[in-house]
Amino acid sequence: MPPDPAPGAAGAGADAHFRALESLYATAPINRLFESRLEIVEAGVARIHFLLDERHFHAAGAVHGTSYFKMLDDAAFYACNSLVTDRFLLTTAFNLLFTRPLPAGPVIAEGRWISGKRRVFVGDARLIDAQGEEVSRGTGTFMTSQIRLGGLPGYRRA
């Protein structure tokens, strides 16, 4: 069960925080390289829809591991940051498990908060291919930074 939301994060406040995180994701420069869309489903749960193509391939014609990392890290990160309303989290460690090559096409990264309530959070994520099969999994740790969410240009609360 996710920790109790921060003061002012319940109800409409939580929804405004989720939409602001989605806006932050959409405006990050790295995401110009990926056709993707973040949705914060609920506190502690994030889903990112990606469309991958040959630009993301390694020399053997499948998606490169850097793309796996980006998708899994983002999903776990946003699942955890959905529980923190004032500060940006930073990834401090991330472990990946590759189970299958990923071809071009749609993929969903599903992230979930696992533990942590204040300074350090743990989240995991999995990649689901167009056939609904898991192709990769990852677990990360995320630490609260000194960066205020409200000071970031893409973080816009309604």
Side-chain angles (χ1 to χ4, degrees):
M1 207 164 184
D4 292 333
D15 190 59
H17 173 57
F18 299 163
R19 303 299 78 83
L21 286 174
E22 292 166 356
S23 173
L24 182 65
Y25 176 86
T27 60
I30 184 68
N31 291 323
R32 294 179 199 139
L33 303 174
F34 291 85
E35 187 175 331
S36 60
R37 178 181 54 84
L38 167 68
E39 61 178 320
I40 307 289
V41 179
E42 62 184 81
V45 180
R47 188 175 298 128
I48 308 175
H49 301 264
F50 288 90
L51 184 58
L52 300 172
D53 59 39
E54 293 78 18
R55 293 173 300 156
H56 305 105
F57 284 8
H58 53 57
V63 173
H64 191 278
T66 57
S67 295
Y68 282 72
F69 169 76
K70 190 254 189 290
M71 294 184 289
L72 291 166
D73 176 61
D74 283 356
F77 166 88
Y78 279 98
C80 290
N81 220 146
S82 72
L83 302 171
V84 180
T85 60
D86 62 339
R87 302 287 176 174
F88 187 78
L89 298 181
L90 298 172
T91 303
T92 58
F94 206 90
N95 295 305
L96 299 173
L97 172 63
F98 299 94
T99 54
R100 266 204 313 266
L102 190 57
V107 63
I108 297 173
E110 296 179 340
R112 294 194 177 276
W113 167 85
I114 300 299
S115 67
K117 294 184 178 184
R118 291 199 175 103
R119 183 128 171 91
V120 177
F121 295 79
V122 177
D124 75 359
R126 62 190 195 131
L127 295 182
I128 307 299
D129 68 12
Q131 288 70 45
E133 298 294 323
E134 181 177 300
V135 298
S136 185
R137 179 173 288 272
T139 302
T141 57
F142 308 92
M143 183 174 70
T144 306
S145 75
Q146 295 301 311
I147 302 166
R148 297 191 57 74
L149 283 170
L152 297 173
Y155 186 82
R156 294 185 203 96
R157 283 185 177 244

